[in-house]
Amino acid sequence: MKAATLRRSIFTVFCLIAVSQFARAETLNVYNWSDYIAEDTIRNFEKQSKIKVSYDVYDSNEVLEAKLLAGKSGYDLIFPTARPFADRHIKAKLYRPLDKSKLHHYGNIDPVILKSLADIDPDNAHLVPYMWGTTGIGYNIDKVTAILGKEMPLDTWKLLFDPEIVAKLSACGVVMMDDPTEVLVAARAYLGKDSEDFSATAINEAAAVISKVRPKIRYFHSSQYINDLANGDICVAHGYSGDILQARDRAAEAKNGVHIAYTVPSEGAVVWTDVMAIPADATHLDAAHQFIDYLLEPAVIADITNYVAYANANTKALELVDETIRNDAGIYPPETTRKRLLVLKTPTDKEARTMNRVWTRLKTGR
């Protein structure tokens, strides 16, 4: 009888310990861009940290911002674009300050990129750089060349905004991002106008350019073009450098005869940095810091760059990046290309509202 009682007591203690450990186990809630992490990153982190990761994705900064502004987003770590979005969020106190004592690999971050963020995030208190790249044009080499001829320069916004050229390309599919800031700034660059001007006059000038080609634009979306380019369903896309290069690589792997190229238009294109930030209402702070620190490990972030074809902000990771990626001018652009890059200015709240109203009207064709 005593032996049975002892066994029951031991079993009870074991169960209590197991329940206690389960209760202490954290679930990290991450919200990131689609197609923006390696296939095994989450699995490897969970194995190493014993932290469960709930991973959701979005395809535009506006979707992320709407969740943050609504409050109680439920996320512990997010990946916004620094300008203009993270800039606005910091001013609105939507992020928690980082505890850098928990980021043991923080010293791996490129100091030049950190400095480039300091004006919107003093002392780099809230933002950790993740990936950076450009926003330009992806195109189907064979289809576009067949339509426009071999003499037509393709490093130009004319492929997206010149009515005569877009009309010719519309048969094989021209698409724009669903991002008012990116598209309107691109239209301003096409016009040769100041890309930092978000006045009502400037916005309407850009909108007039877009409205002339709007009937020939197949759709507005910020990620669908990856598969559609790779499959040959469209021939010109305004998009993020890494997304278009992913499309190129997917087409090559599928051996489907589709050949994709990426170009930074000669009139100028946006350069951006995506960052990691902890929302003000996050509840799993230790887990969030652990995941940030994990992504700052050179081998981890190099693997992600190799998979998603975006340049990372980690100086010690560069030598671990595949040579073909490291030497790809579309991912790590040369100095001559960098001189043409445009840094987004953050519009005021009034300017942003005007831009969003105009953008809604443009998309709906009204």
Side-chain angles (χ1 to χ4, degrees):
M1 186 66 179
K2 288 182 179 180
T5 301
L6 179 61
R7 285 195 297 271
R8 285 196 298 271
S9 298
I10 293 173
F11 179 74
T12 301
V13 170
F14 175 81
C15 289
L16 289 172
I17 291 173
V19 170
S20 176
Q21 289 178 336
F22 179 79
R24 287 199 304 269
E26 287 192 278
T27 297
L28 175 66
N29 300 301
V30 177
Y31 201 30
N32 196 0
W33 292 85
S34 58
D35 300 292
Y36 213 28
I37 202 164
E39 288 181 306
D40 59 354
T41 307
I42 299 298
R43 182 170 64 251
N44 291 342
F45 173 74
E46 289 179 327
K47 183 178 180 179
Q48 174 182 301
S49 67
K50 310 305 180 187
I51 294 171
K52 175 66 178 175
V53 177
S54 175
Y55 191 85
D56 293 336
V57 299
Y58 53 90
D59 59 21
S60 77
N61 277 292
E62 286 78 10
V63 171
L64 166 63
E65 187 170 75
K67 285 186 178 290
L68 291 177
L69 293 174
K72 297 181 180 179
S73 67
Y75 294 107
D76 303 305
L77 186 62
I78 57 175
F79 293 72
T81 301
R83 302 170 193 271
F85 293 92
D87 185 3
R88 284 205 297 261
H89 301 166
I90 291 171
K91 291 172 181 174
K93 302 186 185 306
L94 295 179
Y95 299 159
R96 283 181 179 268
L98 298 163
D99 183 349
K100 294 179 185 175
S101 68
K102 297 179 179 179
L103 302 178
H104 308 297
H105 299 96
Y106 190 82
N108 296 339
I109 302 172
D110 186 336
V112 174
I113 293 179
L114 276 178
K115 184 178 180 181
S116 75
L117 298 173
D119 62 318
I120 64 172
D121 184 26
D123 299 321
N124 299 111
H126 303 85
L127 309 178
V128 177
Y130 179 59
M131 298 282 173
W132 66 274
T134 56
T135 311
I137 297 175
Y139 60 93
N140 184 307
I141 299 170
D142 301 322
K143 289 185 177 181
V144 171
T145 302
I147 292 171
L148 300 182
K150 294 182 180 180
E151 302 303 316
M152 169 71 191
L154 301 180
D155 61 338
T156 173
W157 287 117
K158 290 181 180 180
L159 271 64
L160 210 66
F161 298 122
D162 184 297
E164 183 177 342
I165 291 175
V166 175
K168 293 178 180 178
L169 295 170
S170 62
C172 60
V174 178
V175 305
M176 288 185 183
M177 296 173 65
D178 187 4
D179 187 316
T181 308
E182 289 274 12
V183 180
L184 290 167
V185 166
R188 295 281 297 170
Y190 165 73
L191 290 171
K193 298 291 185 73
D194 182 4
S195 62
E196 295 188 359
D197 187 352
F198 288 108
S199 66
T201 299
I203 292 170
N204 286 322
E205 284 177 343
V209 170
I210 299 165
S211 65
K212 290 178 182 178
V213 297
R214 172 64 185 89
K216 302 298 183 181
I217 300 301
R218 185 169 295 183
Y219 62 74
F220 296 85
H221 203 278
S222 296
S223 64
Q224 183 179 335
Y225 61 82
I226 302 175
N227 283 332
D228 288 350
L229 266 178
N231 296 334
D233 296 331
I234 60 173
C235 63
V236 174
H238 177 211
Y240 300 119
S241 52
D243 284 358
I244 291 166
L245 295 171
Q246 283 183 50
R248 178 197 64 185
D249 294 345
R250 290 180 188 180
E253 290 170 5
K255 298 180 180 179
N256 60 4
V258 174
H259 304 103
I260 304 299
Y262 173 75
T263 185
V264 174
S266 58
E267 302 93 338
V270 169
V271 60
W272 46 262
T273 303
D274 285 341
V275 295
M276 296 178 272
I278 300 175
D281 59 359
T283 55
H284 303 102
L285 303 183
D286 285 341
H289 281 87
Q290 284 189 57
F291 192 58
I292 292 173
D293 199 45
Y294 180 71
L295 295 180
L296 291 177
E297 293 183 23
V300 173
I301 201 69
D303 283 345
I304 297 174
T305 287
N306 290 336
Y307 185 77
V308 304
Y310 281 104
N312 65 67
N314 192 307
T315 54
K316 292 186 178 181
L318 186 59
E319 63 184 22
L320 302 176
V321 172
D322 290 346
E323 187 175 357
T324 54
I325 297 285
R326 193 168 64 240
N327 296 329
D328 192 318
I331 302 172
Y332 288 95
E335 188 59 33
T336 53
T337 301
R338 293 190 186 194
K339 291 178 180 178
R340 304 202 304 266
L341 300 180
L342 310 171
V343 177
L344 286 178
K345 168 182 168 279
T346 302
T348 65
D349 290 344
K350 181 179 179 181
E351 290 169 342
R353 287 194 295 270
T354 300
M355 199 180 329
N356 288 330
R357 283 197 299 270
V358 169
W359 185 243
T360 300
R361 189 172 70 245
L362 285 168
K363 285 200 304 178
T364 57
R366 295 177 181 175

